[in-house]
Every structure is written in structure tokens, then in C-alpha cells.
Amino acid sequence: MKDVIRKEHILNHSIDTVWNAITKQEQISNWFIKADFKAEPGYKYTFTAPEEQNCTQIMGEVKKANPYTLIYTWIVAETNIETVVKWELEKTEEGTRLSLEHSGISNYSGENAIKMFNSFNEGWNNCISGLSEYLKQDVHAR
């Protein structure tokens, strides 16, 4: 079973604009789900999804928040299984290269690991799509 999900996307926005979108509580809440989040090592965050989504809460701890690398643990409510999410940004001619890595999914057991891998994989596709749309619409509208 694969243990790591990797996503890469080029965004036509400055590295600081993208960094703010993935690290500022109010911006995360606009394009992802409601967030109690600070990009500060040691901060224990909570993401709260609407009830109609499968999981209602994700929590964890920020491990690293250096421009332009963000690493935090990821625990889906009621599972007590810790995985790790890593965002890395790199300036490019087009704007910013966003690299996302979600690792440790084999910490789930058996069939549940496969189910969580598929769920996370699809979720990150939606997440990056939401971030891209947010940056196109909301950030340019300001």
C-alpha cells in the first residue's frame, strides 16, 4: 500500500499570497473548512468541517512553519491516528509551485488504511482546487 500522497500545482500568484492562504486562519476558513489555526510551531489547531461531510473535525499540532514550509500532524477526530501534512512553496517564473505531501497513512490498519488513503487523496484534490479557485476569485477581487 502507498503510504504517501503527493500533489504538485503551479499557482499564478506570488509566494507570499499563497503562503498567507495556507497559513492564515481566516483565509483557510474561506477556501477549506473552518479553522482555528496559527502557523506557529507547537500550536494545537482544529479544523471543523460542516456536518454533511464525512469527518467533522481534524486536529493536530504545527511542527514547522518557516517561510515557505509548513508541517503539521493530522488526526481525524475519533481515530487517534497521527499522520503528517507538509506544504512547500517555491517561487517560479509562473508564480508559485505548491508541493503537498501527506504521509503516515499506513498508521491506519488494514482495509482502513486503503479507505483513508483514497479519502485523503480525493480530499487533497478538492482542497487544492478550492485553494486555486479562492486565489483566482477572492484574492484578485480585493
Side-chain angles (χ1 to χ4, degrees):
M1 192 207 109
K2 290 184 180 177
D3 186 52
V4 180
I5 295 168
R6 288 186 178 87
K7 306 289 180 185
E8 191 171 289
H9 194 75
I10 301 292
L11 299 161
N12 282 337
H13 303 279
S14 74
I15 196 167
D16 289 321
T17 298
V18 178
W19 179 252
N20 287 337
I22 66 169
T23 61
K24 301 289 184 197
Q25 174 175 297
E26 62 280 356
Q27 291 194 41
I28 296 166
S29 295
N30 279 322
W31 63 267
F32 186 42
I33 55 178
K34 186 174 184 252
D36 171 8
F37 189 88
K38 290 183 184 168
E40 300 170 0
Y43 189 82
K44 295 189 184 333
Y45 75 88
T46 305
F47 295 147
T48 306
E51 284 189 30
E52 59 269 10
Q53 292 185 8
N54 287 342
C55 75
T56 55
Q57 205 169 59
I58 298 153
M59 61 214 99
E61 182 178 337
V62 177
K63 297 297 186 181
K64 182 177 182 180
N66 296 346
Y68 297 98
T69 301
L70 176 65
I71 300 172
Y72 48 83
T73 59
W74 180 274
I75 303 167
V76 176
E78 300 171 16
T79 68
N80 294 322
I81 305 293
E82 184 177 285
T83 59
V84 176
V85 174
K86 177 181 179 181
W87 301 80
E88 287 185 303
L89 304 181
E90 180 184 337
K91 208 180 275 193
T92 67
E93 287 183 19
E94 301 88 7
T96 302
R97 174 181 290 113
L98 178 147
S99 299
L100 177 118
E101 183 178 287
H102 190 161
S103 61
I105 300 163
S106 63
N107 292 341
Y108 288 92
S109 61
E111 289 296 314
N112 204 28
I114 295 167
K115 179 182 163 206
M116 295 307 283
F117 182 92
N118 292 333
S119 175
F120 291 150
N121 191 46
E122 184 61 31
W124 288 120
N125 287 337
N126 293 336
C127 184
I128 291 172
S129 177
L131 172 61
S132 182
E133 285 303 309
Y134 167 75
L135 290 168
K136 285 179 192 170
Q137 296 175 1
D138 294 341
V139 172
H140 279 309
R142 292 181 192 185

